[in-house]
Amino acid sequence: MTLLLDPRQRAMLAEMGVRTDFLPAASSDVPAAGASAEVAPAKVHRSETRHQPATPQAPSSPSAHPLASLAASAVSEMDWDALAQSVRECQACGLCKTRKNTVFGVGAPAAGPGLAPRADWLIVGEAPGENEDLQGEPFVGQAGRLLDNMLKALGLSRQAQGAPEASVYILNVLKCRPPGNRNPQPEELLQCAPFLERQVALLQPKIIVAMGRFAMQSLLKDTVPQVESMPLGKLRGQIYSYRGIPVVVTYHPAYLLRSLAEKAKAWADLCLALSRARRPQD
Ligand code: SF4
């Protein structure tokens, strides 16, 4: 599988600060699926998108918590519209008291009443920030623009209509903003997990890109031992799995805005995801 970058796409990536000269020309532009996209041994800063705790904690399994188990069983039966309504009305954790809006997700239009959008790509971020909370939409502002530009360079868009292979759906692990953009708490992640799980089950994307440490932990906690103590850079460059759907891990765009040197790695991660998304399904 190859990704051929035309001059316009290369110019766009250069505009974003992403070097493309390290990419082999034409036939080998994209790293092979499963191959490491590491440019150098990764050093991950403690704060990638938010104020990270010294020892970040992944949420434990929803089944370990009675409230979460109850919610999970109800939510697991919902269609897309009921799920969205349920998020709008949710008061399962304390974030409902300080949010201005819930942030369910954005992307390709629903395929019909009650049906999920048809999008091959799912981008999973962490939690709404101030602008997302105000607008009720994930990945807005500068970080959102950077994400959109990177997706555009791959021929993808959150606004794509009717072409699943070019369509992206974007959501966060947490649907409500933690006050002051603090880190999500384990209890909040636990309570919100059934919504994420059901969204993925209904969307059935071909590829998931986990952006940031809390997205990585939430999606890989059942498949990667001790993921909560692993730096994100250690998990880059490989394909993982969430409920049978391939997952690629990369940096959050908000972190990339502060760490320009990591943009090339994020680009390589997206190329890895593209190669996996285009591969025939197993
Ligand atoms: S963050 Fe999730 S669990 Fe908490 S109130 Fe919002 S929707 Fe409900």
Side-chain angles (χ1 to χ4, degrees), residues 87 90-93 95-96 99 174-176 188 191-192 195:
V87 167
C90 181
Q91 299 183 18
C93 81
L95 296 182
C96 68
R99 73 186 177 211
L174 274 190
K175 312 305 181 197
C176 304
E188 294 158 359
Q191 294 293 350
C192 218
F195 294 130

Side-chain angles (χ1 to χ4, degrees), residues 30 61 108 211:
V30 180
S61 166
M211 294 191 153

